[in-house]
């Protein structure tokens, strides 16, 4: 079946092009290799930096590719980025930026609808009858997402959901629940196919019940799968976190075992601790013995064999959309931590080996926040400001090399930038350092030359989501490096003896770039607050002068925090005008205290997690409540 459609040419003109059907799901899956999740980022409600990770950058996606991954999964929130039921174009553009970063590396991209907050609008709504509101959202959101990416080639795959039913209290799966879930997936498939273009034959992915292997096999046979109007373009997704006591459990549990509590398991495979059997993977509390299959490749092999016989062999390729294992520090130290570390390397190798044995695509879960005291699954560095750079450094090289070895990729060596200037349908390619997008630097000044006509101002709608960079036909998306010669974004100055910058222009809102973009987003770089939202809060200190000098205000945030500080769960302001006001990111006043002397104190207890803005007189402070 041939499609006739419009494609964006490199010069920006529209040309008529004939698009053949995209490859089948099985053909796509053969090239996906092993994958990496950009976790705890784009799926965070409202603010992709709200859980401590910076916004994904081209450098990160380059490093993902260089580490040997050929697929990237982008968990993504949508419902929290809507206005009157429609996803904002700003957010669609921001997601597109990250997708484009990946496609420049020829990575396969799995873009999904993830949970939002405590289960979100879909994940905890599993029932025996279809919820019309949920179904309408499924149709509306996927229609918009699909239209945004309809010209993209087979490297982009859509995944309808995340872990349906996970976190839903009191849920006991039945065949009727599974039928209703498949009805939602039918809505997803129909919505995407209806948008035409390459979406007519794009590979789509549906998820198992809680993405649990055994629940899926029991209640979701392929005979109840939704129908597709094209053949061979569906995949199936499950996740693998097992054994649970080893990979995820963080405290002892009393599950009725007569031999005492079930303990967290630290030691796996060939690296178990004979003197401490209850902390070994596979320990069976009831039998007071070790189940060796639970502590070796036998377990993932057995689980993934079920995927092959029940789905792959029946025409539905399978991805392991998430897998990973916690690093148990500081719980362990010394020789115990070393034993755990070696076993953890073996666990990752076993999972990837088993997946490859049965023709599945394993996609490791990276939650970022590397260096956290516990619950850490971080493989590639994102927290450059907090833990020291560089962005994209592999922080688990032994695990990466163990997984690479399964695919015959050899030892990891970071060779630097790997992306190419690949034309992405519907996009303007981002230039190399030699392109016209490189800012001009005056010989008499250390600052980039920025023409006043190139400065882009934020949108003016009063309902704009303030964390988001603004995007319309007249407003540049600050997350997206610009390549047009008429719009110049400043970068840190590089002396003639310095190494050439790899990613000019530097991604506009990344703090480590050491500059602020030529808009009022200069304000608080990590979050990209719009001029409008700050002005609505009466915060004018950040706003640019008539003749903007983005470098001159780069240090403004540090300069204005002298009298307003955070002390644990308290905000303390000192001075004659010591009243404190606390705003959310929509400019709404959340709390305030009036000065009774030369000091005011505001308690943050009881606030929802997220980012806030505190103001006292002329002082402003960004507050992250965790």
């Amino acid at each position: 079946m041939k499609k006739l459609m419009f494609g964006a040419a490199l010069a920006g003109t529209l040309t008529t092009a004939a698009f053949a059907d995209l490859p089948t799901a099985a053909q796509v899956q053969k090239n996906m290799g092993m994958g990496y999740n950009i976790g705890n980022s784009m799926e965070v409600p409202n603010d992709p930096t709200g859980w401590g990770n910076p916004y994904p950058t081209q450098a990160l996606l380059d490093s993902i590719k260089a580490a040997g991954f050929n697929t990237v999964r982008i968990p993504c929130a949508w419902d929290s980025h809507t206005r009157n039921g429609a996803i904002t174009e700003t957010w669609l553009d921001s997601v597109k930026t990250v997708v484009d970063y990946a496609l420049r590396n020829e990575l396969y991209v799995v873009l999904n609808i993830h949970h939002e907050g405590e289960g979100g609008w879909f994940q905890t709504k599993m029932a025996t009858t279809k919820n019309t509101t949920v179904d309408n959202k499924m149709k509306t959101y996927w229609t918009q997402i699909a239209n945004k990416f309809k010209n993209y080639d087979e490297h982009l795959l859509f995944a309808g959901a995340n872990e349906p039913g996970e976190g839903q209290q009191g849920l006991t799966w039945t065949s009727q629940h599974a039928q209703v879930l498949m009805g939602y997936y039918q809505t997803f498939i129909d919505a995407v196919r209806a948008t035409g273009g390459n979406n007519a034959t794009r590979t789509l992915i549906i998820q198992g019940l809680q993405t649990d292997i055994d629940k899926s096999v029991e209640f979701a046979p392929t005979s109840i799968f939704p129908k597709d109007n094209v053949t061979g373009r569906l995949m199936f997704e499950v996740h693998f976190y097992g054994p649970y006591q080893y990979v995820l459990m963080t405290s002892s549990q009393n599950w009725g075992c007569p031999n005492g509590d079930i303990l967290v398991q630290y030691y796996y495979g060939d690296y178990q601790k004979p003197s401490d059997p209850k902390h070994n993977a596979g320990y069976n509390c009831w039998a007071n013995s070790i189940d060796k299959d639970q502590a070796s490749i036998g377990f993932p092999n057995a689980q993934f064999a079920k995927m092959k016989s029940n789905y792959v062999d029946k025409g539905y390729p399978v991805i392991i959309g998430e897998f990973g294992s916690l690093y148990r520090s500081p719980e362990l130290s010394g020789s115990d931590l070393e034993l755990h570390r070696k076993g953890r390397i073996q666990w990752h190798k076993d999972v990837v080996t088993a997946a490859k044995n049965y023709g599945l695509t394993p996609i490791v879960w990276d939650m970022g926040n590397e260096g956290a005291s516990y619950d850490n699954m971080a493989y590639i560095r994102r927290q450059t400001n907090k833990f020291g750079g560089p962005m994209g450094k592999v922080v688990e090289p032994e695990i990466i090399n163990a997984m690479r070895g399964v695919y015959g990729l050899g030892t990891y060596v970071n060779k630097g930038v790997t992306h190419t200037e690949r034309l992405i349908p519907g996009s303007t390619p981002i230039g190399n350092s030699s392109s016209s997008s490189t800012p001009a630097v005056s010989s008499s000044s250390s600052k980039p030359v920025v023409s006043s006509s190139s400065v882009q101002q934020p949108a003016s709608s009063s309902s704009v989501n303030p964390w988001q960079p603004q995007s319309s036909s007249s407003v540049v998306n600050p997350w997206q490096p610009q390549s047009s010669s008429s719009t110049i974004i400043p970068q840190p100055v590089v002396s003639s003896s310095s190494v050439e910058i790899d990613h000019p222009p530097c991604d506009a809102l990344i703090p480590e770039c050491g500059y602020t973009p030529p808009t009022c987003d200069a304000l608080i770089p990590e979050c990209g607050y719009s001029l409008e939202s700050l002005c609505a809060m009466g915060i004018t200190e950040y706003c640019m002068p008539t003749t903007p000098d983005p470098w001159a205000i780069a240090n403004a945030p540090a300069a204005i925090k002298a009298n307003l500080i955070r002390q644990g769960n308290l905000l303390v302001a000192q001075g004659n005008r010591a009243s404190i006001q606390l705003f959310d990111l929509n400019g709404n006043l959340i709390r305030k205290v009036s000065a009774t002397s030369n000091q005011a104190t505001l308690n943050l207890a009881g606030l929802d997690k997220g980012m806030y803005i505190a103001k006292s007189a002329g002082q402003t402070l960004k507050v992250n409540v965790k």
Side-chain angles (χ1 to χ4, degrees):
M1 180 172 58
K2 301 290 184 182
K3 302 293 179 187
L4 198 63
M5 55 189 298
F6 288 105
L10 182 61
T13 59
L14 290 177
T15 59
T16 302
F19 282 71
D21 290 351
L22 296 183
T24 65
Q27 291 168 332
V28 168
Q29 198 259 355
K30 286 180 180 179
N31 297 319
M32 290 174 69
M34 64 181 186
Y36 172 97
N37 275 276
I38 306 178
N40 290 7
S41 184
M42 303 297 286
E43 81 273 26
V44 181
N46 299 301
D47 177 0
T49 67
W51 290 353
N53 289 314
Y55 199 86
T57 66
Q58 182 69 68
L60 173 64
L61 272 300
D62 290 345
S63 295
I64 292 169
K65 178 69 172 183
F69 297 104
N70 213 38
T71 295
V72 62
R73 181 172 179 258
I74 304 177
C76 204
W78 302 96
D79 195 58
S80 57
H81 298 281
T82 60
R83 187 182 307 146
N84 298 322
I87 304 167
T88 65
E89 200 63 30
T90 292
W91 181 242
L92 286 164
D93 284 345
S94 296
V95 174
K96 178 180 180 295
T97 296
V98 181
V99 171
D100 288 354
Y101 287 157
L103 293 183
R104 291 176 75 195
N105 284 297
E106 299 285 346
L107 287 162
Y108 286 86
V109 177
V110 176
L111 181 64
N112 81 350
I113 283 182
H114 214 73
H115 67 78
E116 302 190 51
E118 295 300 320
W121 62 272
F122 180 80
Q123 186 157 302
T124 57
K125 302 298 188 295
M126 300 301 104
T128 55
T129 57
K130 184 178 285 188
N131 182 312
T132 303
T133 300
V134 170
D135 199 50
N136 287 340
K137 283 188 175 184
M138 181 69 87
K139 179 179 181 179
T140 300
Y141 295 166
W142 274 115
T143 297
Q144 290 182 262
I145 298 165
N147 273 317
K148 186 71 175 180
F149 296 100
K150 67 191 301 181
N151 292 344
Y152 281 53
D153 67 18
E154 72 274 11
H155 283 80
L156 179 61
L157 300 81
F158 295 149
N162 174 46
E163 295 176 340
E166 183 64 29
Q168 184 172 334
Q169 297 298 317
L171 174 63
T172 300
W173 284 100
T174 66
S175 296
Q176 194 168 354
H177 285 89
Q179 291 277 3
V180 171
L181 176 60
M182 295 301 150
Y184 290 132
Y185 291 152
Q186 188 70 63
T187 298
F188 154 60
I189 293 168
D190 292 346
V192 173
R193 296 293 183 231
T195 60
N198 279 342
N199 290 333
T201 54
R202 184 176 310 286
T203 293
L204 306 180
I205 307 172
I206 61 173
Q207 292 63 45
L209 283 57
Q210 293 175 235
T211 55
D212 179 270
I213 290 174
D214 292 320
K215 289 185 177 70
S216 300
V217 169
E218 182 177 2
F219 294 110
T222 59
S223 59
I224 71 165
F225 274 18
K227 306 303 179 185
D228 196 2
N229 59 15
V230 290
T231 300
R233 264 71 178 192
L234 294 184
M235 284 187 183
F236 191 62
E237 177 182 357
V238 291
H239 297 170
F240 183 77
Y241 292 106
Y244 169 76
Q245 295 94 318
Y246 174 74
V247 300
L248 288 180
M249 200 166 82
T250 56
S251 61
S252 60
Q253 301 293 322
N254 188 336
W255 291 336
C257 177
N259 292 316
D261 287 349
I262 296 171
L263 305 183
V264 176
Q265 298 173 355
Y266 298 134
Y267 311 110
Y268 176 86
D270 297 332
Y271 302 96
Q272 296 205 327
K273 188 175 181 181
S275 63
D276 190 8
K278 290 186 177 182
H279 283 109
N280 286 335
Y283 175 74
N284 185 321
C285 181
W286 284 263
N288 194 26
S289 63
I290 302 292
D291 181 345
K292 292 185 178 180
D293 279 346
Q294 290 279 316
S296 71
I297 195 173
F299 185 42
N301 265 339
Q303 292 297 89
F304 297 166
K306 298 174 188 177
M307 292 294 95
K308 186 176 187 302
S309 61
N310 285 277
Y311 301 102
V312 176
D313 291 347
K314 296 181 179 180
Y316 296 90
V318 172
I319 67 169
I320 308 299
E322 296 178 16
F323 75 96
S325 174
L326 299 179
Y327 183 60
R328 306 295 186 167
S329 173
E331 299 98 313
L332 302 178
S333 60
S335 60
D336 287 344
L337 181 59
E338 178 64 11
L339 197 62
H340 164 71
R341 185 188 65 79
K342 290 179 178 178
R344 187 166 172 262
I345 295 168
Q346 183 181 341
W347 182 88
H348 284 82
K349 181 179 180 180
D350 284 351
V351 173
V352 173
T353 300
K356 191 170 184 292
N357 286 344
Y358 291 98
L360 317 182
T361 298
I363 308 177
V364 71
W365 178 261
D366 189 313
M367 63 171 57
N369 297 312
E370 60 269 18
S373 60
Y374 79 100
D375 76 356
N376 185 248
M377 293 182 198
Y379 303 87
I380 296 179
R381 175 140 292 159
R382 290 188 253 169
Q383 302 286 323
T384 54
N385 281 349
K386 187 174 181 181
F387 299 106
M391 166 74 72
K393 176 184 178 181
V394 168
V395 294
E396 293 276 12
E398 292 172 304
I399 289 177
I400 295 295
N401 281 327
M403 296 192 298
R404 286 172 61 94
V406 176
Y407 286 89
L409 298 177
T411 302
Y412 166 74
V413 177
N414 189 348
K415 297 181 180 179
V417 176
T418 61
H419 71 259
T420 59
E421 297 311 311
R422 176 175 180 265
L423 177 61
I424 301 166
S427 300
T428 300
I430 304 170
N432 285 320
S433 57
S434 60
S435 73
S436 62
S437 64
T438 305
V441 179
S442 167
S443 59
S444 61
S445 171
S446 62
K447 304 173 185 177
V449 177
V450 182
S451 71
S452 58
S453 62
S454 70
V455 175
Q456 303 294 326
Q457 293 300 323
S460 59
S461 169
S462 60
S463 60
V464 159
N465 183 342
W467 80 261
Q468 294 171 336
Q470 305 309 310
S471 173
S472 71
S473 59
S474 61
V475 181
V476 167
N477 177 356
W479 297 115
Q480 176 78 56
Q482 305 303 316
S483 60
S484 169
S485 59
S486 64
T487 302
I488 297 178
I489 297 178
Q491 340 176 181
V493 176
V494 180
S495 68
S496 59
S497 60
S498 298
V499 177
E500 182 180 11
I501 293 177
D502 288 324
H503 303 289
C506 201
D507 302 305
L509 295 185
I510 306 173
E512 57 264 33
C513 291
Y515 70 91
T516 52
T519 71
C520 233
D521 303 20
L523 330 179
I524 303 176
E526 299 94 325
C527 298
Y529 303 119
S530 68
L531 166 63
E532 179 179 36
S533 63
L534 288 165
C535 291
M537 291 183 262
I539 301 173
T540 59
E541 293 85 359
Y542 289 122
C543 295
M544 285 193 167
T546 304
T547 303
D549 182 351
W551 289 78
I553 63 172
N555 294 321
I560 65 168
K561 298 176 183 176
N563 298 325
L564 179 60
I565 62 174
R566 180 172 182 176
Q567 296 180 348
N569 218 27
L570 299 177
L571 295 178
V572 179
Q574 295 180 337
N576 293 328
R577 299 178 62 188
S579 299
I580 304 175
Q581 294 176 305
L582 187 70
F583 299 86
D584 66 16
L585 298 191
N586 290 316
N588 300 312
L589 180 64
I590 303 300
R591 293 181 182 178
K592 68 177 181 178
V593 293
S594 298
T596 56
S597 61
N598 287 337
Q599 177 172 305
T601 302
L602 187 148
N603 197 329
L604 301 173
L607 289 173
D608 291 335
K609 294 179 182 179
M611 197 72 69
Y612 298 82
I613 295 292
K615 184 181 178 187
S616 178
Q619 316 305 315
T620 304
L621 181 67
K622 178 181 61 175
V623 179
N624 187 11
V625 176
K626 297 184 178 179

